[in-house]
Amino acid sequence: MTDRITASLRRLFDEHRIVFWYDAARDMRGEFDALDLAGVTKVEITNNQFGLKYRMLRQEPKAKFLVFHDGPEPGNAANWLLDLQLATAVFKADQAASWLGELGLPPQFENVVRDHLEFYRSKARVAELKRLLNAADTQSQVRLRMLAVCAGAEGGLDTVVEALLGELAEGRDDAMRLIERSGLMEVFWKQVGNAYGYQTDEPDFEDFAIALFQSAYVRALGEDGKLNAEALLVFRRWKNNRHWEAAFETLAARYQGLLKVPDDLSKRDFRSVMAVDHFEEIDRHVIRQLVHAMSTQTVSASEVLKWVRERRQSHWYSAYEDIYQAIGFATEFQQALAEANLGMTSPAEGVKRYVSSWYKLDQLYRKFIYHMQRSGHASLLSELYDAVENRYTNSYLLKLNDAWQDQVAGLTDWTIPGYPRQSAFYFEQAAEFRRKDQKVAVIISDALRFEVAEECLRRIRALNRFDAELKPMISALPSYTQLGMAALLPNRGLSFAADGQGSVLSDGESTQGLAAREKLLATGRAGDRTKALLARDVLDMRVDEGKELFRDNDVVYIYHNLIDAIGDKLQTEDQLPKAAEDAIEELTKLVRKLTSANFSNILITADHGFLYQHRALDESDFAVADPKGDEILMRNRRFVVGRGLHGTAGMKKFSSANLGLTGDLDVLIPNSINRLRVKGAGSRFVHGGASLQEIVIPVIRVGKQREADVNQVEVQIIVSGRSQITSGQTAVIFYQAQPVSEKMQARELVAGIYAADDTLISDEHVLQFDFTSENAREREMPRKFLLSREADKFNNQDVFLKLRERVGKTSHYQDYTSHRFQLKRGITTDFDF
């Protein structure tokens, strides 16, 4: 500013020897003191008028003088230098005029400065205002930009309100006090009143905030609020802006009790608030009523799944995601159970139907329990949990295995036609690669049940350039770890050891421990280099160590144990669902680790499956049978091994020969899903018996492709009728062109309506396109968009509904697709919405 004053004064001194400067506002002293004009003498009027006149006219008649007065110019009668002043020049450069010049504003904007002097006393505020100004701004718009500077906002009134709401949430009022000191309070409330319909004799920002929450809530329900529809739009934008997430949550929590939202919700059907998320209590209300409706079976599965999808748009979804996931899996479970026919006419048919569809019921039940446990809100799901648990146990697990038991009862030998035996795994499956001189890695995951493996299969197939297939195999019986692990090794005769600990021998050799198993692996094919090691050791390998493992070995057996390690302990068996999730994650990592080490042939299998019921068993769930015989060597929840065992009601007896084992021992297996009483043993997670869940085990074959094979679904915009917007809202349908699958992945897009200059003129929606249905109609997503008042500027112009996609993990977005509309609105009113 001093430079501009200097330039102005120099122009005056080009024509005048004496220049007067009156500092009417007494705010230019600093600029006067800082001036250094060559050839000009600075003097000051301080009751020395006659001395100054004598000096300037008599003593130094040719010198140049800048005459400064700290105060307003006196009236003519009191101005003793009036004659001299009239003959020379007066420099008018008060602070207000200087700021006008700095901002490039014309003189008629003087009041924009004079009425708000406190605002301009900060150089930083003036600089920021200058950055925000546009050449075409009116005085009202300049004041609005001043409000933005005070609030630290960037944009129009809506961004000012957002920033002030942020301060309110933090318990601060710095911006509001600055607005008041700057004389902008009246301007602010006038703007708020005009824009949002806030009218009161005593405006207060927290009162406005409460009115904003109340109005947005009732307007979203189709009712009238204190504020207008523009307030609803601003509220939506603020609520959905990740920057203001914490502020919104704080104020929503603060006001939901004040506004008696819980009381109001208690009178509303959950369907009426399905699209509303202004308070956390809404999600709790939806969950409670939805759970009750599901438990009493008064809603259809398709309705529930649709509502669960809809709630994914809720601000609070992340807090209740696991509950909604649990509800979704419970719905799918009930739907699958209703469609299931659990009958069979042969053991082979039973296995075939289990691996084609029935396994999904076990999987959906496990996923429901997992998300219920993970949610931390199990009480909200208690009614649904009771219904699912009862149906899983009584209508599925017991019913299925009672039917299966009828087939098992008719077997003499433990073989199921058409399905490979676990004891032949090495020679029929692992050695297949060696016969082609190809290397192979086998991952044996303890208790990897078929349904868990199916989920793991989908996870692996979702990896780029990976392919995999899953086939069933029938485990050895009893279905427990020592026998299952031994059966997966090269063997020609398995037998129970006489130690009573369940140990198993292969051709008389121990099968316990890595060293013994590695020794037996070497007997599979002459000259093969073999290695047995733990999964953790592989995961911890460096890249070069992994490649060395591939180079130096032909057959590698990797032992993985997460599920059994957690499930087979009384203290931790209830954590089985999480252990299964962790196992899937770790197996996927293990596959990637092996392929990076050049393994291209990978098999994943298990020693046995398991039965799991989350609820602790009642006494009536245990078998009343009391096994008898010459000698009982081992007693488990699900089997008994001994010598000379007697046939017992409620149990199926097999000899070693019947089971394909050598030796003279007998085995008793409790019928269906019954457990034997064993002191100190867990009862919710069990294995060893002959249920389908225990004996149908997976074999996953993993391969690596050369070409990339993972894509994202395509999304289209569907508009019915003419592409015109004639009211304050418009509805469109988004269509997901392909169902999501392992190789066709979901897509997240942000939708909004924009003017040609990229001004956002509507609310925005974050949309998840992850429909899995093969039915095209079930992959449609309808959405409504509210137009802002800003849209009025673009009436009778083309506007664009845009779908934008985030660039990687950055904060930048790029256009994915768009649709052109013509905006042709008549006179807009609040009722236009």
Side-chain angles (χ1 to χ4, degrees):
M1 187 169 65
T2 302
D3 292 341
R4 286 196 300 276
I5 292 173
T6 299
S8 298
L9 287 170
R10 280 177 178 158
R11 285 194 294 272
L12 288 174
F13 279 113
D14 286 343
E15 300 179 17
H16 303 279
R17 185 173 69 85
I18 299 172
V19 175
F20 286 82
W21 181 357
Y22 293 101
D23 184 11
R26 291 188 168 89
D27 57 3
M28 300 295 288
R29 163 65 69 181
E31 281 70 12
F32 172 74
D33 290 342
L35 276 174
D36 184 14
L37 293 168
V40 175
T41 301
K42 296 192 299 182
V43 295
E44 187 173 353
I45 300 172
T46 53
N47 293 321
N48 58 349
Q49 289 89 334
F50 290 109
L52 286 175
K53 181 182 285 190
Y54 182 77
R55 178 182 177 183
M56 291 187 290
L57 295 179
R58 296 295 185 210
Q59 292 180 319
E60 303 177 50
K62 294 185 180 181
K64 294 182 178 182
F65 290 92
L66 175 60
V67 183
F68 181 80
H69 178 54
D70 187 11
E73 180 181 350
N76 289 346
N79 190 350
W80 298 102
L81 297 175
L82 182 61
D83 55 338
L84 188 58
Q85 181 179 313
L86 291 173
T88 56
V90 176
F91 173 59
K92 293 185 177 180
D94 61 9
Q95 187 71 65
S98 176
W99 283 324
L100 276 175
E102 183 171 351
L103 295 170
L105 295 174
Q108 56 267 36
F109 279 61
E110 184 176 350
N111 287 341
V112 172
V113 175
R114 291 199 181 280
D115 292 348
H116 313 288
L117 290 175
E118 180 62 28
F119 175 90
Y120 294 92
R121 297 195 192 283
S122 163
K123 291 183 179 180
R125 288 197 292 269
V126 174
E128 181 63 9
L129 177 61
K130 184 177 180 180
R131 186 183 70 82
L132 295 177
L133 286 176
N134 292 322
D137 281 346
T138 63
Q139 292 191 33
S140 177
Q141 288 169 326
V142 172
R143 287 188 170 94
L144 185 55
R145 299 195 191 285
M146 292 165 64
L147 286 170
V149 173
C150 289
E154 184 98 19
L157 181 63
D158 56 342
T159 65
V160 174
V161 169
E162 289 175 0
L164 294 176
L165 287 169
E167 278 205 350
L168 180 63
E170 294 176 359
R172 299 188 296 112
D173 63 351
D174 301 355
M176 286 301 290
R177 287 191 286 109
L178 177 57
I179 288 171
E180 186 169 17
R181 291 201 313 272
S182 299
L184 288 164
M185 194 63 80
E186 184 179 347
V187 173
F188 173 71
W189 287 121
K190 183 178 180 181
Q191 292 273 2
V192 168
N194 291 340
Y196 311 126
Y198 179 68
Q199 303 295 337
T200 178
D201 294 336
E202 297 182 7
D204 172 79
F205 191 74
E206 181 149 34
D207 180 66
F208 168 74
I210 295 170
L212 181 63
F213 270 85
Q214 185 272 340
S215 297
Y217 173 61
V218 296
R219 279 188 170 274
L221 295 168
E223 302 167 9
D224 290 333
K226 294 180 181 179
L227 307 183
N228 60 26
E230 183 75 6
L232 171 60
L233 183 59
V234 168
F235 181 87
R236 281 187 182 178
R237 284 189 185 174
W238 173 65
K239 172 179 67 67
N240 295 333
N241 189 326
R242 291 178 181 174
H243 179 72
W244 300 115
E245 183 175 352
F248 165 69
E249 291 173 3
T250 298
L251 294 182
R254 188 181 300 173
Y255 299 149
Q256 73 177 6
L258 180 69
L259 294 171
K260 296 183 171 57
V261 171
D263 293 342
D264 179 75
L265 287 170
S266 67
K267 304 166 191 172
R268 297 183 187 270
D269 185 272
F270 70 95
R271 297 166 182 83
S272 67
V273 296
M274 195 57 71
V276 185
D277 66 343
H278 301 358
F279 300 97
E280 184 175 3
E281 186 62 28
I282 296 172
D283 278 83
R284 298 179 69 86
H285 175 70
V286 167
I287 289 166
R288 280 192 294 264
Q289 288 207 4
L290 188 54
V291 163
H292 179 70
M294 290 177 64
S295 302
T296 55
Q297 295 185 293
T298 56
V299 290
S300 69
S302 59
E303 286 178 313
V304 175
L305 294 175
K306 173 177 168 288
W307 290 327
V308 167
R309 279 197 57 84
E310 196 165 340
R311 289 314 292 175
R312 291 177 62 172
Q313 305 301 318
S314 166
H315 177 89
W316 312 96
Y317 181 76
S318 60
Y320 296 96
E321 179 177 2
D322 283 295
I323 287 191
Y324 285 118
Q325 291 267 38
I327 289 172
F329 284 118
T331 303
E332 291 185 61
F333 168 79
Q334 292 177 343
Q335 186 177 35
L337 182 59
E339 296 171 355
N341 174 5
L342 301 177
M344 66 198 82
T345 58
S346 69
E349 185 189 3
V351 172
K352 180 180 179 181
R353 298 187 70 181
Y354 182 78
V355 300
S356 62
S357 63
W358 294 338
Y359 77 87
K360 292 178 183 175
L361 287 153
D362 294 307
Q363 189 178 84
L364 293 168
Y365 170 77
R366 172 178 58 82
K367 300 291 283 186
F368 166 73
I369 298 296
Y370 169 72
H371 286 287
M372 181 190 72
Q373 289 178 310
R374 194 167 180 262
S375 72
H377 298 281
S379 59
L380 284 174
L381 289 166
S382 59
E383 193 175 1
L384 181 59
Y385 167 66
D386 288 339
V388 171
E389 187 72 42
N390 289 335
R391 289 181 185 128
Y392 178 74
T393 299
N394 299 315
S395 301
Y396 167 66
L397 196 60
L398 183 58
K399 184 177 180 181
L400 171 66
N401 282 294
D402 281 352
W404 171 247
Q405 184 62 41
D406 291 341
Q407 304 302 320
V408 173
L411 295 175
T412 300
D413 294 328
W414 182 238
T415 58
I416 298 178
Y419 292 94
R421 296 172 298 117
Q422 188 180 39
S423 58
F425 169 79
Y426 179 85
F427 292 112
E428 291 182 359
Q429 301 197 59
E432 174 189 334
F433 296 100
R434 295 305 302 133
R435 290 191 285 272
K436 301 174 185 176
D437 286 327
Q438 297 175 353
K439 299 187 177 188
V440 63
V442 177
I443 304 169
I444 301 170
S445 185
D446 203 329
L448 183 69
R449 190 160 70 172
F450 187 85
E451 57 90 2
V452 181
E454 192 278 337
E455 186 177 353
C456 184
L457 172 84
R458 286 185 277 120
R459 192 79 63 87
I460 293 170
R461 282 179 54 81
L463 299 173
N464 195 25
R465 299 201 304 275
F466 278 79
D467 198 8
E469 64 174 7
L470 169 64
K471 290 185 177 180
M473 181 167 67
I474 306 302
S475 79
L477 199 64
S479 53
Y480 73 109
T481 299
Q482 289 96 321
L483 180 56
M485 291 296 183
L488 292 167
L489 293 164
N491 67 86
R492 291 172 178 82
L494 298 176
S495 61
F496 296 111
D499 59 5
Q501 302 300 311
S503 301
V504 175
L505 305 177
S506 177
D507 298 323
E509 298 288 332
S510 171
T511 60
Q512 297 285 94
L514 290 178
R517 292 171 184 174
E518 193 170 294
K519 179 181 177 182
L520 287 169
L521 272 177
T523 68
R525 183 172 184 257
D528 274 358
R529 298 167 298 169
T530 60
K531 184 71 175 176
L533 66 168
L534 299 178
R536 176 48 50 196
D537 295 332
V538 176
L539 289 170
D540 290 342
M541 283 181 176
R542 301 190 309 268
V543 174
D544 60 320
E545 291 175 327
K547 291 183 177 180
E548 184 179 327
L549 177 69
F550 174 80
R551 185 190 67 215
D552 295 345
N553 296 282
D554 302 309
V555 179
V556 176
Y557 265 44
I558 300 163
Y559 292 91
H560 176 258
N561 186 10
L562 274 183
I563 296 175
D564 200 73
I566 295 295
D568 216 9
K569 292 186 180 69
L570 176 62
Q571 297 80 6
T572 58
E573 62 178 351
D574 64 318
Q575 299 170 30
L576 180 281
K578 182 180 185 304
E581 296 286 333
D582 292 342
I584 292 168
E585 181 70 24
E586 201 162 277
L587 287 170
T588 306
K589 289 180 180 177
L590 197 53
V591 164
R592 298 185 73 165
K593 188 85 173 185
L594 288 170
T595 55
S596 69
N598 296 327
F599 283 95
S600 56
N601 302 309
I602 302 171
L603 298 176
I604 304 174
T605 190
D607 50 349
H608 56 77
F610 59 86
L611 288 171
Y612 178 74
Q613 293 158 264
H614 182 66
R615 177 177 288 159
L617 274 65
D618 294 329
E619 189 67 22
S620 60
D621 294 315
F622 293 95
V624 295
D626 185 16
K628 301 290 185 181
D630 297 340
E631 183 181 14
I632 292 179
L633 296 174
M634 183 180 181
R635 180 182 176 127
N636 183 284
R637 287 285 192 198
R638 291 287 289 155
F639 67 92
V640 176
V641 177
R643 185 173 282 106
L645 297 181
H646 301 161
T648 305
M651 303 184 79
K652 171 71 175 177
K653 179 181 175 181
F654 291 97
S655 67
S656 291
N658 296 146
L659 297 175
L661 306 175
T662 61
D664 61 350
L665 299 182
D666 298 322
V667 174
L668 292 176
I669 305 288
N671 289 348
S672 188
I673 62 170
N674 294 329
R675 279 86 154 163
L676 293 170
R677 290 181 175 83
V678 177
K679 188 175 181 180
S683 61
R684 292 189 265 188
F685 172 93
V686 294
H687 59 86
S691 72
L692 284 165
Q693 288 80 0
E694 293 167 287
I695 59 92
V696 177
I697 57 175
V699 178
I700 300 176
R701 290 185 172 231
V702 181
K704 191 79 181 288
Q705 310 298 315
R706 293 182 179 274
E707 302 294 331
D709 59 356
V710 172
N711 293 298
Q712 286 182 289
V713 295
E714 298 171 4
V715 179
Q716 301 165 8
I717 301 171
I718 299 175
V719 178
S720 58
R722 302 173 65 186
S723 294
Q724 285 190 347
I725 300 175
T726 58
S727 67
Q729 66 178 351
T730 191
V732 298
I733 293 174
F734 299 105
Y735 171 63
Q736 180 183 309
Q738 307 89 7
V740 165
S741 64
E742 292 92 346
K743 297 301 183 183
M744 189 62 69
Q745 297 183 351
R747 190 168 226 136
E748 181 182 275
L749 298 170
V750 178
I753 300 176
Y754 292 80
D757 65 357
D758 277 341
T759 299
L760 178 64
I761 59 172
S762 75
D763 53 348
E764 284 189 308
H765 296 277
V766 178
L767 308 175
Q768 292 282 350
F769 293 96
D770 57 359
F771 296 103
T772 57
S773 174
E774 294 289 341
N775 186 337
R777 294 299 299 270
E778 293 179 358
R779 299 197 302 272
E780 294 179 356
M781 183 186 295
R783 282 292 178 271
K784 288 183 179 179
F785 293 85
L786 296 181
L787 296 187
S788 66
R789 291 183 185 273
E790 190 79 6
D792 293 344
K793 298 178 183 178
F794 304 97
N795 206 17
N796 297 313
Q797 296 181 28
D798 286 342
V799 296
F800 302 86
L801 171 60
K802 291 186 177 183
L803 286 173
R804 298 183 305 132
E805 188 167 34
R806 190 174 180 181
V807 180
K809 296 182 179 180
T810 71
S811 59
H812 299 284
Y813 286 80
Q814 61 187 2
D815 289 353
Y816 171 74
T817 189
S818 66
H819 184 88
R820 183 194 302 264
F821 287 90
Q822 188 175 36
L823 183 58
K824 291 183 71 69
R825 298 174 67 190
I827 298 174
T828 58
T829 70
D830 187 39
F831 301 102
D832 205 20
F833 290 88

